């Protein structure tokens, strides 16, 4: 295939991806009650969210539906991108890419789910009830709630990509297991600090819930790097 033929194929796949994502977004938009029942599930029952702008609720509805549509369509999006590059790979390379993408996708979802079911509920309960003075009442906006949920989910998903990142760095020779073992204690300190930044609740239980999985991912990454070296 010529360059322009490749470009036409890419354009066709991008149009199909856009169409599927758009259909998923419209479906999520239509099922508003079910969509926001999922989004608002981590919210404590005694917390009331407010809206202070005329168009904000409609815009938030569209934004949440967009992201939900992308999440639902993500397997198809990944498949189309892989189908575009697969013909240029050897059989062994295709197997490696499939495993790496599948593991990376599952790890990302694991980080998002851990945040949704464990980390964010603790965070919103702590921050929603935190007061610097009894004279200052908390009034949480819907926009603030959605933004914090989205950012924390994205951060946890990216953090859970640590094994894939270490595997890639080891493949190109930029990371050695000896280095990771030597600085294991330093890594634990960094992980605890990172956990404290992700979860500003301050209690040891929530900090452990965040830090222990990341530490286990670090240990798993050491094993992966050792296997790559062999």
């Amino acid at each position: 295939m010529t360059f322009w033929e490749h470009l036409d194929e890419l354009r066709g796949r991008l149009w199909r991806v856009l169409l599927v994502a758009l259909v998923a977004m419209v479906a999520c938009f239509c099922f508003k009650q079910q969509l926001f029942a999922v989004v608002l599930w981590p919210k404590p029952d005694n917390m009331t969210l407010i809206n202070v702008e005329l168009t904000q609720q409609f815009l938030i509805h569209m934004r949440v539906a967009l992201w939900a549509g992308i999440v639902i369509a993500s397997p198809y999006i990944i498949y189309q991108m892989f189908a575009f590059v697969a013909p240029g790979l050897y059989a062994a390379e295709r197997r490696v890419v499939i495993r790496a993408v599948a593991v990376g996708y599952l790890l990302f979802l694991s980080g998002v789910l851990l945040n949704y079911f464990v980390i964010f509920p603790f965070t919103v309960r702590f921050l929603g009830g935190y007061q610097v003075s009894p004279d200052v009442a908390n009034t949480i906006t819907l926009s603030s709630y959605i933004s914090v949920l989205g950012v924390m989910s994205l951060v946890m998903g990216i953090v859970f990509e640590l094994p894939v990142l270490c595997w890639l760095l080891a493949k190109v020779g930029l990371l050695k297991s000896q280095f990771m073992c030597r600085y294991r204690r330093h890594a634990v300190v960094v992980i605890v600090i990172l956990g404290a930044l992700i979860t500003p609740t301050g209690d040891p239980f929530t900090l452990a819930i965040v830090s222990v999985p990341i530490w286990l991912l670090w240990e798993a990454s050491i094993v992966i790097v050792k296997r790559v070296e062999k």
Side-chain angles (χ1 to χ4, degrees):
M1 295 177 64
T2 65
F3 171 78
W4 296 110
E5 289 172 335
H6 279 296
L7 192 61
D8 288 338
E9 182 186 358
L10 177 61
R11 182 171 56 185
R13 293 188 181 277
L14 289 177
W15 276 113
R16 289 194 289 271
V17 164
L18 182 61
L19 178 61
V20 170
L22 183 61
V23 171
M25 173 189 171
V26 172
C28 292
F29 188 87
C30 293
F31 290 92
K32 179 178 65 173
Q33 299 296 333
Q34 293 81 355
L35 176 64
F36 278 88
V38 174
V39 172
L40 299 177
W41 177 83
K43 181 183 71 68
D45 294 334
N46 60 350
M47 176 183 289
T48 301
L49 301 178
I50 67 167
N51 177 64
V52 295
E53 297 182 24
L54 180 62
T55 60
Q56 194 66 35
Q57 290 204 53
F58 178 75
L59 294 177
I60 289 176
H61 185 190
M62 290 189 61
R63 185 174 66 181
V64 173
L66 171 63
W67 287 112
I70 292 176
V71 170
I72 293 174
S74 58
Y76 181 78
I77 296 173
I78 294 173
Y79 165 76
Q80 286 294 334
M81 294 301 99
F82 174 76
F84 176 73
V85 301
L89 302 175
Y90 294 108
E93 293 173 335
R94 283 197 293 269
R95 289 193 296 269
V96 170
V97 171
I98 290 173
R99 287 198 297 266
V101 172
V103 171
Y105 183 73
L106 293 176
L107 286 173
F108 186 88
L109 288 182
S110 299
V112 172
L113 292 176
L114 177 64
N115 175 69
Y116 176 78
F117 285 107
V118 180
I119 301 173
F120 183 71
F122 279 102
T123 302
V124 74
R125 282 173 173 80
F126 173 77
L127 295 180
Y130 186 84
Q131 291 178 281
V132 295
S133 170
D135 297 329
V136 182
N138 285 329
T139 305
I140 313 300
T141 65
L142 176 63
S143 176
S144 174
Y145 175 92
I146 297 296
S147 297
V148 174
L149 174 61
V151 170
M152 289 187 63
S153 298
L154 181 62
V155 169
M156 286 303 300
I158 293 175
V159 168
F160 267 60
E161 295 295 321
L162 179 63
V164 177
L165 176 62
C166 291
W167 170 81
L168 181 61
L169 294 176
K171 274 286 187 182
V172 298
L174 296 178
L175 185 63
K176 300 295 182 181
S177 60
Q178 183 180 3
F179 173 84
M180 298 180 70
C181 293
R182 181 187 305 169
Y183 291 98
R184 179 183 272 119
R185 294 181 179 178
H186 301 77
V188 171
V189 175
V190 173
I191 289 171
V192 172
I193 295 174
L194 179 62
L197 292 176
I198 295 175
T199 58
T201 58
D203 63 284
F205 177 73
T206 308
L207 181 61
I209 290 178
V210 179
S211 301
V212 170
I214 301 176
W215 171 70
L216 293 177
L217 289 174
W218 176 265
E219 295 297 330
S221 300
I222 295 177
V223 177
I224 292 172
V225 172
K226 287 182 178 179
R227 293 188 61 181
V228 171
E229 292 172 346
K230 293 180 180 180

